[in-house]
Amino acid sequence: MSIAKGWAGKKVLSSPFVVQLLIIMYLVEFVKGALLVSILPVYMRQSLDLSAYAVGWALALQYIGDNAFRSPLGWVIDRIGYRYVMVFGVLFTTASVVIITFTSGLGWIVVACLLLGIGTSPLWPCVINGATTVAGNESSGTIMSVVYMAWLTGVGCGPIVINFFIVHTYTPAFRILLVMMIVVILVAWFLPGRKQSLALENRDDAPVAAASELTSEERLPVLARIRRYFARVGKSLHASKLLYPAMFMQNFALGLLTPVLTQFARTVLHLSPQQYSLYLICSGAVIVLGLIPVGKWVDKFGTKWFLHAGFLVAAISLSVLGYTRNLPLVMVIIAFVGVGYACIIPAWNALIAQAIPKAERGAVWGFFLTIEGLGTVFGSIMSGKLWDMMGPHAPFLVSGVDLLLLFVLHLFITRHKAVVVR
C-alpha cells in the first residue's frame, strides 16, 4: 500500500500540469509577498505616515478582492477550464504591479491592492483543485505539502530577496516583479483549456448533464437557481458544520499577523532588513523542511494527531512571541512556530480535501477558500486596531488564543461522524 502511494506521489509531481501550477504559485506568491510584506507596509507607514489600522485596512482590501471572486471562479473553473481563468487573474495582478511601480498616490495604492486581490483570486482554486484532482485521495497529504511548499517558498523568498534590491530606490525591485509577472502570463497561457480540463477530471459528459439540468431549471429565478445549486453541493459534502468556523479561525490567526509582522520586526525588535530576512528564513526553512515528511505521514496515519500537536505548539509559540524581546530567544520561538505550521498545513488541507465531493470540486474549493479568506480579511482589519489600542503584543496574543480555541474545536470535529478522519 505504501509503495502504491509513493508511486502515486511521484506520478503527481512529474505531471506537467502540476508543475505549471506550482511555477505559477511560486512566482505569484513571490510578487505578492514582496509587495505585502516588504514594500507596501513600510512605504505606507514611513512615506504616507498612516496608522497601523489604516495599513491593515489597505491590505485587507487585497484580501477582500481575493475572496469576493474565489467562489464564483471555482464554479467557472468547473465550466471553462483552467487556462482563461488563470490568465484573467495574472493580467489583473500584473496591472497591480504596474500601478504601484509608476504611481505613488494613496488612492492608486488602494486601487492596486484591490486589483492584486482580484488578480490572485483564481490562484488557490486553480492550484488546489488541479493538484488534488491529479493526486486523488491517496496522495492528498503529499500534494498539499508540495503546494504549500511552493506557496511558502514564494511568499518567503519574495520579502527576503526583494530586500536586497531596495537600497535607495524601489525601481530595481519593481523591474524584477514585472519580469516575473510576464513569465507567469506565459506559463498560464499553456494551462489546459475547457476540453482538456474536463478530460483531466474525467468529466467528459459534464456539459451534456449540465445542459439537461439547466433545461429543467431554466424557468426558475436566478437566486432560486443559486440556492438549489448550493443545496446540491451541501448535500454531497462529507463535512461537519463545525468545519466552517474552524476554516475561518485557522486563517484569522494568520490574518492577525500579516500587517504587523514587518512593523514588529523593525520597530519593536529593531531588526535590520537583513536580520529580518534571516529570521524569516529560519521560520520558513523549518516549515518547508517539515512539509514533505509530514505530508507523507498524514497520508499514512491520518490528520488527527498532527493537527492536535500543530495547533497547540503554534498557539503557545505565537502567544509568547509577542512578549519576547531577546533576539536569540525570538529565533527559537519562531522555529517552534515553524514546527507547528509544518504539522498544521498538510494535515489541515488533507482534512478539507476529504470533505470535498468529486463533482463540483472547483466550486466547493472556491467556497471553502472564501470562508478561509474571510478569516484573513477580518484578521488583517483587527490586527492594526489591536496594535494601536493595546500594543505590539496584542495581535500575537489574540492569534495564539484563536489557535487554542481552534484546537478545542478540532477535538469536537474529530468526534463528528460526518467527517472522515483516518
Side-chain angles (χ1 to χ4, degrees):
M1 185 71 174
S2 60
I3 296 176
K5 286 185 177 180
W7 181 85
K10 291 180 180 178
K11 182 180 179 181
V12 169
L13 297 180
S14 64
S15 165
F17 172 52
V18 173
V19 171
Q20 285 176 284
L21 293 175
L22 294 177
I23 291 173
I24 294 171
M25 171 67 80
Y26 174 81
L27 292 177
V28 171
E29 291 297 342
F30 184 103
V31 172
K32 187 175 177 180
L35 290 174
L36 296 183
V37 177
S38 285
I39 296 177
L40 289 178
V42 176
Y43 176 75
M44 286 189 285
R45 287 285 278 173
Q46 295 182 354
S47 300
L48 300 181
D49 196 28
L50 298 176
S51 67
Y53 184 49
V55 173
W57 259 109
L59 298 185
L61 283 175
Q62 185 274 142
Y63 298 117
I64 291 171
D66 190 344
N67 285 280
F69 290 90
R70 277 187 177 183
S71 287
L73 284 175
W75 182 86
V76 172
I77 292 168
D78 288 331
R79 270 72 189 166
I80 69 171
Y82 296 89
R83 180 189 301 159
Y84 295 112
V85 174
M86 187 66 85
V87 169
F88 155 83
V90 297
L91 287 176
F92 270 76
T93 305
T94 305
S96 171
V97 178
V98 170
I99 290 173
I100 295 172
T101 301
F102 295 104
T103 63
S104 58
L106 175 60
W108 282 112
I109 291 178
V110 169
V111 171
C113 287
L114 189 59
L115 286 177
L116 181 63
I118 296 172
T120 55
S121 59
L123 182 64
W124 281 96
C126 279
V127 173
I128 293 185
N129 182 38
T132 54
T133 296
V134 175
N137 288 334
E138 67 275 7
S139 298
S140 60
T142 301
I143 193 59
M144 292 312 301
S145 295
V146 175
V147 168
Y148 272 83
M149 181 179 291
W151 169 66
L152 279 169
T153 52
V155 79
C157 288
I160 293 168
V161 173
I162 219 69
N163 278 336
F164 293 101
F165 293 90
I166 302 173
V167 184
H168 303 293
T169 176
Y170 287 97
T171 302
F174 286 134
R175 287 176 180 171
I176 292 173
L177 300 184
L178 286 172
V179 169
M180 286 186 167
M181 289 312 305
I182 293 173
V183 174
V184 172
I185 293 172
L186 294 175
V187 175
W189 185 254
F190 291 97
L191 287 173
R194 179 174 177 271
K195 291 183 178 179
Q196 298 96 322
S197 299
L198 292 174
L200 183 71
E201 299 177 9
N202 295 318
R203 295 193 295 118
D204 302 82
D205 297 328
V208 177
S212 62
E213 192 172 334
L214 283 174
T215 302
S216 66
E217 298 182 358
E218 60 185 0
R219 295 185 180 181
L220 291 174
V222 174
L223 291 177
R225 293 184 193 179
I226 294 173
R227 283 195 297 267
R228 180 171 292 190
Y229 167 74
F230 279 107
R232 286 198 304 269
V233 171
K235 289 180 181 178
S236 62
L237 291 178
H238 315 293
S240 163
K241 292 182 179 180
L242 295 175
L243 194 62
Y244 301 127
M247 286 188 283
F248 178 92
M249 293 169 65
Q250 201 268 339
N251 273 47
F252 180 77
L254 291 175
L256 285 166
L257 302 179
T258 303
V260 301
L261 201 57
T262 301
Q263 297 176 55
F264 184 79
R266 300 287 293 274
T267 63
V268 177
L269 299 180
H270 303 292
L271 298 177
S272 67
Q274 292 73 27
Q275 287 176 312
Y276 180 42
S277 295
L278 179 63
Y279 278 67
L280 288 176
I281 290 171
C282 173
S283 180
V286 172
I287 299 175
V288 169
L289 292 175
L291 283 176
I292 294 297
V294 171
K296 292 181 178 179
W297 294 334
V298 166
D299 289 335
K300 186 175 182 180
F301 301 110
T303 63
K304 179 178 178 180
W305 294 108
F306 292 100
L307 288 175
H308 285 342
F311 289 143
L312 280 179
V313 171
I316 296 170
S317 302
L318 286 173
S319 299
V320 173
L321 179 60
Y323 293 94
T324 305
R325 303 293 181 265
N326 180 275
L327 295 185
L329 185 57
V330 168
M331 182 74 78
V332 174
I333 293 172
I334 63 174
F336 274 100
V337 174
V339 170
Y341 272 96
C343 293
I344 292 171
I345 288 171
W348 179 255
N349 287 279
L351 175 67
I352 294 177
Q354 293 168 12
I356 294 180
K358 183 177 180 181
E360 307 293 351
R361 184 188 291 267
V364 178
W365 265 120
F367 176 62
F368 280 8
L369 290 168
T370 296
I371 296 174
E372 292 188 339
L374 287 173
T376 308
V377 170
F378 283 95
S380 298
I381 294 171
M382 284 191 61
S383 178
K385 198 68 174 177
L386 289 169
W387 177 294
D388 290 337
M389 293 181 62
M390 301 174 60
H393 68 281
F396 295 89
L397 178 61
V398 175
S399 180
V401 171
D402 175 81
L403 288 173
L404 187 60
L405 293 175
L406 186 53
F407 166 77
V408 175
L409 187 60
H410 183 250
L411 292 176
F412 289 96
I413 292 175
T414 54
R415 287 173 171 79
H416 198 287
K417 296 180 180 179
V419 177
V420 180
V421 181
R422 293 178 292 114

